[in-house]
Amino acid sequence: MGPFDRTDRLRWQAASLLAAAPVAAFAAADAQTGQDAPAASATPQQRVEELHQRVLAGRSATATLEAWCAEHGLADKARVRAVRVQGVQRDAPDDVRRALQVDAGTPLRYRRVQLACGPRVLSEADNWYVPALLTPAMNSVLDGTDEPFGRVVAPLGFKRQTLRDQTYWPARGDGADATVLEVRALLRDGAQRPFSYVIESYLQGALPH
């Protein structure tokens, strides 16, 4: 092979590599897009099911919603706060007392709150709990502040026991306040004593847009 032929072959190889580079770049971009597509194109029903699984697997609704809020960018600061609904009092139904293993004479306290992250209300909850199984400091905070229940009682090392759960899609209701998931759960302390019964309604406002 002469010098001229060798030079032509080297030029042809270089041109081939330059031509292939954009193709490889586009292929890599397509692959990346393909990986991200499921999350970006998730339907509302898929989001509800994702939230459903996260809540069932979570140890605390507050912690689960804070992680959810952060991951989906629902607020500038992903911190869940409890907004107490004042002026509402509901006696514990018989099935709640049975689940808490207390008789009709045992005092229970009731709290209705909305859990919000930034401007969004993510869930509403009815909570009946046994104050005698909490510390005086915990009861004081729950009585006098809007601090989320799960955050206040975290030192008890509690675990959640799901009693019933149901997803709704289309959502039950209208607008951001429509319910997409309802969960009934029992909280047990480190000694396995049930101390809180919650009915949680997760709202359409929790779904990322």
Side-chain angles (χ1 to χ4, degrees):
M1 180 181 296
F4 181 79
D5 293 336
R6 181 178 180 81
T7 300
D8 284 347
R9 178 176 289 276
L10 290 174
R11 286 175 178 171
W12 179 84
Q13 289 175 340
S16 297
L17 290 172
L18 288 173
V23 175
F26 281 125
D30 287 344
Q32 182 64 37
T33 301
Q35 292 173 357
D36 293 342
S41 62
T43 65
Q45 186 172 3
Q46 289 171 329
R47 291 297 194 194
V48 171
E49 193 52 44
E50 179 189 358
L51 177 61
H52 183 198
Q53 296 306 317
R54 293 284 294 275
V55 169
L56 294 190
R59 182 177 144 310
S60 160
T62 303
T64 296
L65 286 177
E66 280 195 346
W68 176 267
C69 185
E71 290 169 21
H72 294 287
L74 302 186
D76 292 336
K77 184 178 181 181
R79 182 172 176 82
V80 167
R81 67 188 189 282
V83 181
R84 295 184 68 179
V85 179
Q86 302 291 344
V88 178
Q89 181 59 47
R90 294 178 181 171
D91 293 334
D94 291 341
D95 61 329
V96 170
R97 285 190 172 273
R98 284 195 297 270
L100 290 172
Q101 300 175 13
V102 296
D103 58 28
T106 301
L108 297 180
R109 289 186 185 169
Y110 171 78
R111 217 174 182 241
R112 180 169 176 81
V113 299
Q114 295 178 328
L115 293 184
C117 187
R120 292 177 180 241
V121 177
L122 309 183
S123 72
E124 296 177 335
D126 294 295
N127 181 5
W128 293 270
Y129 60 97
V130 186
L133 296 180
L134 276 58
T135 67
M138 290 176 184
N139 283 315
S140 177
V141 171
L142 291 171
D143 288 344
T145 75
D146 285 352
E147 194 71 10
F149 188 83
R151 193 176 289 147
V152 174
V153 301
L156 296 179
F158 69 87
K159 292 185 178 179
R160 264 173 82 95
Q161 175 189 352
T162 300
L163 303 176
R164 193 185 312 167
D165 56 289
Q166 175 69 53
T167 58
Y168 299 96
W169 196 261
R172 188 180 65 180
D174 299 313
D177 293 337
T179 299
V180 296
L181 168 64
E182 184 176 279
V183 176
R184 294 183 178 226
L186 199 62
L187 305 188
R188 295 180 179 272
D189 64 16
Q192 293 300 304
R193 296 175 300 181
F195 68 91
S196 169
Y197 186 108
V198 292
I199 303 175
E200 300 164 342
S201 298
Y202 294 86
L203 308 180
Q204 191 161 303
L207 303 184
H209 301 295

